[in-house]
């Protein structure tokens, strides 16, 4: 009953779609170009489709956000931070690196 977007580049094991009719009215496979050009979708879905097309055509390094793991101060767990690569002057110094056990 809400929009949540998690974008992954995967290959399906099957093209059969089993979906929850309480969550979705319709569910189908579309060509990415059709999804990017249709007016029958939300603005964010259209934008994501256009970004993915750009990645396919120009390289995903142009749109991907790399992930960096950083330690939580008190829990001992790790956060996953997604961001654009920083200029070299702002890169993490070797003495700041955190090593996971």
């Amino acid at each position: 009953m809400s929009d949540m977007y998690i974008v992954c580049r995967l290959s399906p094991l099957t093209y059969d779609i089993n979906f929850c009719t309480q969550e979705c009215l319709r569910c189908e496979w579309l060509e990415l170009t059709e999804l990017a050009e249709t007016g029958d979708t939300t603005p964010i879905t259209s934008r994501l489709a256009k970004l993915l097309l750009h990645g396919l055509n120009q390289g995903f390094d142009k749109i991907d956000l790399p992930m960096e793991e950083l330690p939580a101060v008190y829990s001992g767990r790790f956060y996953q931070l997604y961001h654009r690569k920083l200029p070299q002057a702002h890169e993490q110094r070797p003495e700041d690196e955190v090593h996971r056990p």
Side-chain angles (χ1 to χ4, degrees):
M1 301 289 181
S2 63
D3 294 336
M4 181 168 62
Y5 291 85
I6 300 171
V7 179
C8 301
R9 292 188 307 258
L10 305 170
S11 297
L13 297 175
T14 177
Y15 286 91
D16 295 334
I17 301 174
N18 297 314
F19 64 95
C20 175
T21 56
Q22 293 175 346
E23 287 282 333
C24 302
L25 298 175
R26 190 175 93 205
C27 192
E28 62 185 302
W29 290 101
L30 292 173
E31 291 292 327
L32 197 52
T33 51
E34 182 182 349
L35 186 59
E37 295 170 3
T38 185
D40 294 332
T41 189
T42 62
I44 193 168
T45 299
S46 177
R47 182 69 172 138
L48 280 170
K50 290 173 184 172
L51 283 168
L52 292 170
L53 276 175
H54 182 78
L56 282 170
N57 294 329
Q58 303 296 318
F60 283 102
D61 62 310
K62 306 292 189 242
I63 64 168
D64 283 351
L65 295 177
M67 187 271 295
E68 178 181 5
E69 282 195 330
L70 300 165
V73 175
Y74 301 107
S75 70
R77 296 183 180 175
F78 286 81
Y79 294 109
Q80 294 179 340
L81 176 64
Y82 292 83
H83 60 87
R84 291 272 180 220
K85 188 166 176 58
L86 292 171
Q88 189 125 18
H90 298 284
E91 284 291 325
Q92 189 171 354
R93 299 178 309 235
E95 61 269 17
D96 294 336
E97 287 184 15
V98 174
H99 300 283
R100 292 184 87 167

